Amino acid sequence: MAAGSLDTGVSAPNRSGAGEPPRWQRIVRVTLIACAVGATLASPWWGPRALARLDFFHVRRVVFEGMRYTPRGEALALLKVDTLQSVWQELAPLAERLEAHPLVARAQVERQLPGTILVQVVEREPVALVRRKDGRLDPVDGAGHRLPIDPTRVPMDVPLSATADSALMHLLDGLRANEPALYGRVERAERVRTRGAPDEFQVKLGEVTVRTTPEVTVDRFKDILPVEADLARNRLRAVELDLRFRNQVIARQP
């Protein structure tokens, strides 16, 4: 028997009612099936094995949640699920196979009776675009890994960076997760190396450049916010905010 095609969309309801059994028969049928399933599951060792042999529990739909960047076709290919398989199969291997995709950080697979596999995906989020030597841009995640996403096809509002510096990407990822408004202001970020001086990060927030050490935390980076607020109250602005000195924020005005 050949495997049929899986439904990965939302099925439209049948509004005609043609060919359907009476409502009471459908209720009785569903009730009997539910009782049979409950009784079978009460025997955890052989119950799922017995149910897996029933055509009623063959996989008919695969539903993905949380996927924005991962191509659906690639995810289905990794799952290796078809309509000859049962929803009562082992689900952990499906999640493990999907987590092999470079865009998938975590996956959780559940069954929805009678014939649906629900896949919840946490993707690796791009935090910056890094320019290649040929001029093209690569999305990079918080660990500095380049992600196989074409930014010309998938719009993303992330800052530019000269390199995929892992410490810098970690900072940007922390801002994205914990201070999205502040992260949204970042236009460009880079590590600056100067002979005879320690490395520093320079983060461009519109017209303001933030200078800090590579050891900076998100909490320390947030120290610029009350300084900016105080300057605004006094109708002043800074072109540079320097966090390189312990417990200080030095504001340089134009």
Side-chain angles (χ1 to χ4, degrees):
M1 181 185 295
S5 60
L6 287 169
D7 177 13
T8 59
V10 179
S11 299
N14 183 352
R15 301 185 182 276
S16 66
E20 291 186 357
R23 184 170 182 271
W24 69 268
Q25 288 186 9
R26 296 200 305 272
I27 293 175
V28 170
R29 180 170 179 265
V30 171
T31 302
L32 291 174
I33 290 172
C35 292
V37 170
T40 307
L41 288 178
S43 302
W45 181 74
W46 57 268
R49 291 188 179 184
L51 293 174
R53 297 176 182 175
L54 302 178
D55 290 347
F56 183 70
F57 295 110
H58 279 189
V59 179
R60 291 185 288 277
R61 298 181 69 222
V62 176
V63 177
F64 294 99
E65 291 183 352
M67 285 200 328
R68 178 186 174 192
Y69 306 110
T70 310
R72 187 177 300 269
E74 294 179 11
L76 279 173
L78 284 172
L79 287 177
K80 299 179 182 178
V81 172
D82 61 45
T83 56
L84 297 181
Q85 299 176 17
S86 171
V87 295
W88 292 105
Q89 66 184 286
E90 291 278 346
L91 299 182
L94 302 186
E96 291 173 2
R97 290 200 289 267
L98 189 53
E99 287 171 354
H101 196 285
L103 290 176
V104 176
R106 295 188 305 279
Q108 180 176 331
V109 183
E110 301 174 358
R111 60 179 65 90
Q112 292 183 337
L113 301 180
T116 298
I117 294 291
L118 173 64
V119 185
Q120 297 173 316
V121 177
V122 176
E123 294 184 305
R124 303 185 191 279
E125 289 284 343
V127 299
L129 291 173
V130 176
R131 192 175 300 278
R132 295 186 190 178
K133 292 181 179 179
D134 61 8
R136 289 185 293 174
L137 297 173
D138 281 338
V140 175
D141 69 6
H145 299 142
R146 295 176 187 263
L147 302 176
I149 305 172
D150 185 351
T152 64
R153 296 185 177 182
V154 183
M156 58 187 72
D157 186 14
V158 297
L160 295 173
S161 179
T163 62
D165 185 285
S166 59
L168 182 56
M169 296 304 108
H170 180 73
L171 171 64
L172 293 177
D173 195 34
L175 291 173
R176 179 193 64 80
N178 301 294
E179 292 293 330
L182 190 52
Y183 172 75
R185 295 172 55 193
V186 181
E187 296 179 357
R188 186 178 181 87
E190 59 187 347
R191 181 190 286 262
V192 176
R193 293 181 169 90
T194 305
R195 180 177 296 181
D199 288 1
E200 66 178 77
F201 287 164
Q202 292 186 5
V203 182
K204 188 78 170 176
L205 307 177
E207 297 181 352
V208 181
T209 298
V210 179
R211 300 176 65 183
T212 186
T213 64
E215 294 75 30
V216 66
T217 64
V218 172
D219 284 342
R220 172 58 173 151
F221 199 92
K222 286 165 49 181
D223 287 345
I224 69 170
L225 297 177
V227 174
E228 286 187 315
D230 186 60
L231 288 170
R233 281 193 296 269
N234 291 283
R235 298 183 180 182
L236 300 172
R237 68 181 182 89
V239 294
E240 185 177 284
L241 295 170
D242 198 334
L243 297 172
R244 292 175 298 166
F245 306 98
R246 184 183 298 273
N247 301 323
Q248 296 184 56
V249 179
I250 299 175
R252 296 184 176 89
Q253 297 175 266

